[in-house]
Amino acid sequence: MLQVALPFIAGQAGSPSAGGVLLAMLSAGSAVGGLTYGRISWRSTPVQRFALLVTGFTLTVLPLCLTESPVLVGVLAFLLGLCLAPLFITAYLLVNDLVAASKTAPTEANTWVSTANNAGFAAGSAAAGVLLELQGAALTVAAAIATMTILRRRTLALDAAHAEPSTDDTIVR
C-alpha cells in the first residue's frame, strides 16, 4: 500500500515528483533498520519483537494517514522503513522456530513467508487506490493489523520444550 500511498500523498501536495523521494526515504529507513536490528543482541523472543514492531509500524502509519506535508511524510516514511526490514527478519526467525518445532521442511516454510508477503503486497497495492479515496480507511486497516497481531501473538509462541529461541547462527536461509 505504501508504494501507492506515498506517491499519492506527494501528488495531493502538488509535488508528484516527490513521490520517488518519499519511496527512497522508506527504503533508506528499511536499510538502517535492518542493519541496526542485526547488530543488537536481543533478549526478547521473536514473538515479542514481532508484536512490538507491528505496533510501532502501525503507530507510525497513523500520522502518515493524517498529514499532507511532503516533508513530514518523508520523515514518517523513514521511520516506517526502520520497522520494515526488522519485521521481515523477525518473520523469518518465527518461521525458523516453527520449523524446528514441527519438523517441517525449511524451504517450504520460508516459501510461505515469501508467498504471504507477495500476496499482501499485491492485495495492498490493489486496494490502495480505493482506500486512499476513503477517509480513515487506511487508519482503520493499520489499527486492525496491530490489534490482530497483539491478540494473536500467542498462536506464534512456541512450547519452550520443543524449540529454543532463534540465534543468529540458526537462521534458516
Side-chain angles (χ1 to χ4, degrees):
M1 184 176 219
L2 290 170
Q3 302 295 327
V4 176
L6 293 174
F8 177 84
I9 292 169
Q12 292 294 101
S15 182
S17 60
V21 175
L22 296 178
L23 291 171
M25 293 297 291
L26 180 69
S27 296
S30 183
V32 170
L35 291 170
T36 303
Y37 186 86
R39 294 193 45 87
I40 296 172
S41 296
W42 294 101
R43 293 186 180 148
S44 59
T45 67
V47 172
Q48 292 167 329
R49 290 192 306 270
F50 190 78
L52 181 66
L53 286 164
V54 169
T55 302
F57 184 84
T58 303
L59 291 175
T60 308
V61 167
L62 298 179
L64 182 71
C65 299
L66 303 173
T67 186
E68 295 177 5
S69 164
V71 173
L72 182 56
V73 171
V75 171
L76 293 170
F78 182 83
L79 294 174
L80 279 169
L82 290 175
C83 296
L84 281 180
L87 273 169
F88 283 107
I89 293 165
T90 306
Y92 280 101
L93 289 173
L94 287 169
V95 167
N96 184 57
D97 289 348
L98 294 170
V99 164
S102 69
K103 313 276 191 277
T104 305
T107 303
E108 179 184 354
N110 283 286
T111 300
W112 279 111
V113 173
S114 295
T115 301
N117 175 57
N118 292 336
F121 187 86
S125 294
V130 175
L131 292 176
L132 289 169
E133 294 298 323
L134 303 173
Q135 277 191 341
L139 182 84
T140 302
V141 170
I145 291 168
T147 301
M148 289 307 297
T149 300
I150 291 167
L151 292 176
R152 300 296 300 174
R153 72 185 179 280
R154 293 188 194 278
T155 62
L156 299 171
L158 298 173
D159 182 357
H162 293 107
E164 296 180 16
S166 295
T167 61
D168 290 340
D169 58 347
T170 61
I171 296 172
V172 176
R173 298 191 196 281

